[in-house]
Amino acid sequence: MTTRRFRAILPGLTLALGLTAALVLPSHAVAEDTLRIAMTAADIPTTTGMPNNGWEGMRFLGYPIFEGLVLWDLSHADRRATLRPGLAESWEQGKSDKNTWIFHLRHGVKFHDGTDFNADAVIWNLDRYFKSDSPQFELAASGLTRVRLPILASYKKIDDNTVSFTTTKPASYFLSMVVYVLFTSPASFEKAGHDWARVATLPAAGTGPFRISQVIPRQSVRLARWDGYWDAAHKAKVDSILLLPIPEANTRLAALRSGQVDWIEAPPPDGIPSLKAAGFTVSTNSYPHVWPWMYNMSVAGSPFKDVRVRQALNYCVDRSAIVVLLNGTAEPAVGWLKPNDPAFGNPVNHYTFDPAKGKALLAAAGYDAQKPLAFKVMISNSGSGQMLPLPMNELLQQNLKQACGVDVTFDTVEWQVLSSSARMTPDNPGLHGAMALNVSSASLDLSYMARYFAAASATPAGNNFEHWSDDKFEAALDTASMATDPAKIQASYRAAHERLVDNPPWLYIVHDLNPRAMSKKVQGFVPAQSWLLDMSLISLH
């Protein structure tokens, strides 16, 4: 009944908001070969070379313009994205010192401003992120990069085309971390008079297949094809891309239907059948993403200190109702990884919708009808990977009340505020007493498991917001980090994931299927099994 209620509401919202959407979107003069994309972000991601706004920022204002030493191969839809050489053409881990990695830089690469990419540019950017007393230090970009590479101890230039990184401990997954360190031309900073705010509107120069050609704050960013791109196999096909922040799902839908944009992220689920009937392309694919509530389990007085409470909610949630609400564009989540993932393992707990078991666990922890479990969750109204957070969370609120007598209230904030909150310590006043955060997450690989759950990754150093610690998990992760044998790494990965299920730091809800809708004139799109996309593959006709 609850699901039907929300499915009945959404079409009405689509109609009401869709009638006005065309009147409120900004007008842009565009050429025929300009691809216009409506993002879910409430504002344009930052444009200095390390974008905010989560993975949507990296997807559109990161890799198309700014690149890393290692890149993702995003050219396949039928398997997980893998790593490939980027601004480094090769690398190796030290034979006698497993804490050292040496990168051999690609020759002849230039930034969009014509300056050389070399070891000096690498070190300059690393100082920008990791050296707080450097002239080019950028606080916001540093915060984003440090949590993605928390085990970096030092770095140095060996020669003009070689650099080395030293980690605090051996990490078999280090390449999956360094892939997120992006490089901006040092000349951009000089041209802006050492002012990152001015760099953002210059615009900044990267090395990617697109360059930023125009920034209109809070309104749009225009990218132009970079014909001097170093990789002939990945040169862009469209002349330009126009990126528009449109956080409301139904407004995005109306913009697509009216022809104001060619592509929208996260279409409202109830609009999908009509989009298909009207000839639009709707793309979905399994990819490494989970939509959870992250338990604030370390703050004084948290009910989630008790593992029985954390397990109980995982039995109280009707995941199938969320999937129905989303019109099949999600899958139930019963762990950080999907059950068909080789690393899922064989945990003791197999979470299903079992209110009786949930209530029994709550009762054992001291919560019943006379003393119901009650807490606040911080959520967003939109954002990268958040799907439809308001109706989804309202359905969860009703579900938990009806199934297990749990009282949930919400603190609704803008996505960037929520994302920043996830890097706070659990007792930070900025959380406003929230006992859980609804922040969607990549569930990519061992590097991400370490970032989100290792004890050493507790906020603010990493992304372990819960300050969760589990000895068996730490032992398995350490074994996987030290190992070089793929079979041993995989076995330890499974053991670590079993602890994430049985001693859950999160309430696992659904895995997103990454829906997006686009005009038939958009060609070459590959729905990679990743949070990221290869925008160079796309053409218009």
Side-chain angles (χ1 to χ4, degrees):
M1 183 172 181
T2 300
T3 302
R4 287 198 298 270
R5 172 177 170 259
F6 280 104
R7 296 191 69 188
I9 289 172
L10 285 172
L13 286 173
T14 299
L15 177 61
L17 292 168
L19 290 174
T20 61
L23 300 176
V24 299
L25 291 181
S27 175
H28 294 271
V30 294
E32 288 299 318
D33 54 2
T34 295
L35 173 65
R36 301 161 300 170
I37 299 176
M39 303 179 293
T40 68
D43 193 2
I44 60 172
T46 47
T47 54
T48 59
M50 182 50 67
N52 61 6
N53 272 285
W55 291 109
E56 189 171 56
M58 293 291 280
R59 181 183 303 141
F60 293 123
L61 267 302
Y63 290 100
I65 309 103
F66 309 96
E67 299 179 298
L69 301 179
V70 184
L71 295 175
W72 290 106
D73 181 355
L74 303 167
S75 60
H76 304 281
D78 60 349
R79 57 185 181 272
R80 281 281 191 95
T82 54
L83 299 174
R84 64 180 176 91
L87 296 177
E89 56 189 9
S90 63
W91 51 78
E92 67 265 2
Q93 187 176 17
K95 289 182 171 56
S96 59
D97 179 7
K98 297 299 183 184
N99 287 31
T100 298
W101 292 76
I102 298 172
F103 292 85
H104 304 280
L105 307 183
R106 194 174 297 279
H107 292 250
V109 176
K110 290 188 179 294
F111 288 103
H112 300 146
D113 57 17
T115 59
D116 292 330
F117 171 80
N118 52 29
D120 288 333
V122 170
I123 300 302
W124 186 92
N125 274 275
L126 293 173
D127 285 349
R128 164 195 176 190
Y129 298 133
F130 295 100
K131 190 177 179 183
S132 58
D133 61 350
S134 67
Q136 67 269 32
F137 182 71
E138 185 185 6
L139 182 60
S142 173
L144 290 168
T145 307
R146 285 171 185 255
V147 297
R148 292 170 183 163
L149 195 57
I151 60 171
L152 182 64
S154 63
Y155 46 86
K156 68 179 180 179
K157 172 184 173 179
I158 296 176
D159 59 41
D160 285 347
N161 295 293
T162 315
V163 296
S164 69
F165 291 72
T166 301
T167 58
T168 57
K169 62 179 182 179
S172 59
Y173 47 79
F174 181 68
L175 294 177
S176 295
M177 288 183 158
V178 81
V179 71
Y180 299 112
V181 180
L182 306 185
F183 296 94
T184 301
S185 168
S188 296
F189 188 66
E190 295 300 321
K191 185 177 179 181
H194 293 195
D195 182 349
W196 281 110
R198 290 186 62 197
V199 173
T201 57
L202 272 177
T207 59
F210 291 91
R211 62 180 178 83
I212 299 174
S213 61
Q214 182 188 52
V215 178
I216 303 177
R218 297 198 66 85
Q219 183 170 313
S220 67
V221 178
R222 188 183 296 272
L223 311 181
R225 184 178 62 231
W226 173 239
D227 290 330
Y229 186 50
W230 58 267
D231 187 349
H234 287 85
K235 286 193 174 184
K237 294 177 173 61
V238 296
D239 283 348
S240 64
I241 298 174
L242 182 66
L243 300 168
L244 300 163
I246 305 178
E248 212 291 312
N250 295 290
T251 306
R252 291 195 299 275
L253 177 67
L256 180 64
R257 284 176 168 162
S258 66
Q260 290 186 301
V261 298
D262 308 299
W263 165 332
I264 63 173
E265 295 288 281
D270 277 51
I272 289 176
S274 63
L275 284 172
K276 290 180 177 178
F280 292 96
T281 299
V282 177
S283 169
T284 59
N285 197 13
S286 178
Y287 80 122
H289 168 273
V290 61
W291 193 88
W293 285 356
M294 300 175 171
Y295 294 130
N296 188 347
M297 54 183 285
S298 297
V299 68
S302 172
F304 299 121
K305 291 181 182 292
D306 192 323
V307 66
R308 294 170 296 186
V309 177
R310 289 180 267 132
Q311 291 173 340
L313 294 194
N314 274 291
Y315 284 109
C316 289
V317 168
D318 185 359
R319 297 168 177 87
S320 63
I322 301 291
V323 172
V324 170
L325 173 69
L326 295 173
N327 210 354
T329 60
E331 306 168 282
V334 292
W336 187 66
L337 297 171
K338 299 179 182 183
N340 61 356
D341 192 296
F344 187 87
N346 186 28
V348 173
N349 287 273
H350 298 276
Y351 297 123
T352 58
F353 182 41
D354 189 341
K357 189 165 187 175
K359 286 192 285 188
L361 284 165
L362 287 174
Y367 298 100
D368 54 23
Q370 286 70 46
K371 183 189 173 184
L373 175 64
F375 60 95
K376 184 196 308 184
V377 184
M378 184 179 287
I379 67 174
S380 65
N381 51 13
S382 67
S384 173
Q386 294 295 92
M387 297 183 277
L388 294 182
L390 295 181
M392 291 169 72
N393 277 300
E394 288 176 11
L395 181 52
L396 282 168
Q397 182 186 49
Q398 294 182 22
N399 163 198
L400 290 172
K401 179 65 174 178
Q402 293 170 3
C404 292
V406 177
D407 294 322
V408 177
T409 56
F410 296 126
D411 181 12
T412 305
V413 299
E414 189 179 80
W415 162 239
Q416 193 55 42
V417 174
L418 177 61
S419 179
S420 298
S421 297
R423 297 195 295 273
M424 295 177 178
T425 54
D427 59 352
N428 192 300
L431 295 172
H432 305 151
M435 288 295 165
L437 303 182
N438 172 219
V439 182
S440 61
S441 155
S443 50
L444 283 164
D445 48 42
L446 268 168
S447 73
Y448 260 74
M449 180 179 276
R451 268 185 53 189
Y452 276 101
F453 304 112
S457 295
T459 54
N463 289 107
N464 183 353
F465 165 74
E466 308 79 18
H467 290 212
W468 180 79
S469 182
D470 180 284
D471 290 344
K472 292 180 180 178
F473 173 88
E474 293 290 326
L477 186 63
D478 284 346
T479 300
S481 300
M482 296 286 292
T484 56
D485 175 23
K488 188 172 185 178
I489 292 173
Q490 187 72 2
S492 299
Y493 193 10
R494 286 195 299 271
H497 186 263
E498 288 169 358
R499 296 307 302 156
L500 291 179
V501 177
D502 289 332
N503 184 16
W506 291 0
L507 170 58
Y508 305 109
I509 302 167
V510 291
H511 299 289
D512 188 12
L513 291 182
N514 210 8
R516 49 177 56 92
M518 55 193 68
S519 162
K520 285 289 188 183
K521 69 179 183 179
V522 178
Q523 299 293 307
F525 169 72
V526 175
Q529 292 191 29
S530 168
W531 282 64
L532 306 165
L533 299 170
D534 188 343
M535 302 300 292
S536 73
L537 301 174
I538 297 164
S539 62
L540 295 172
H541 75 82

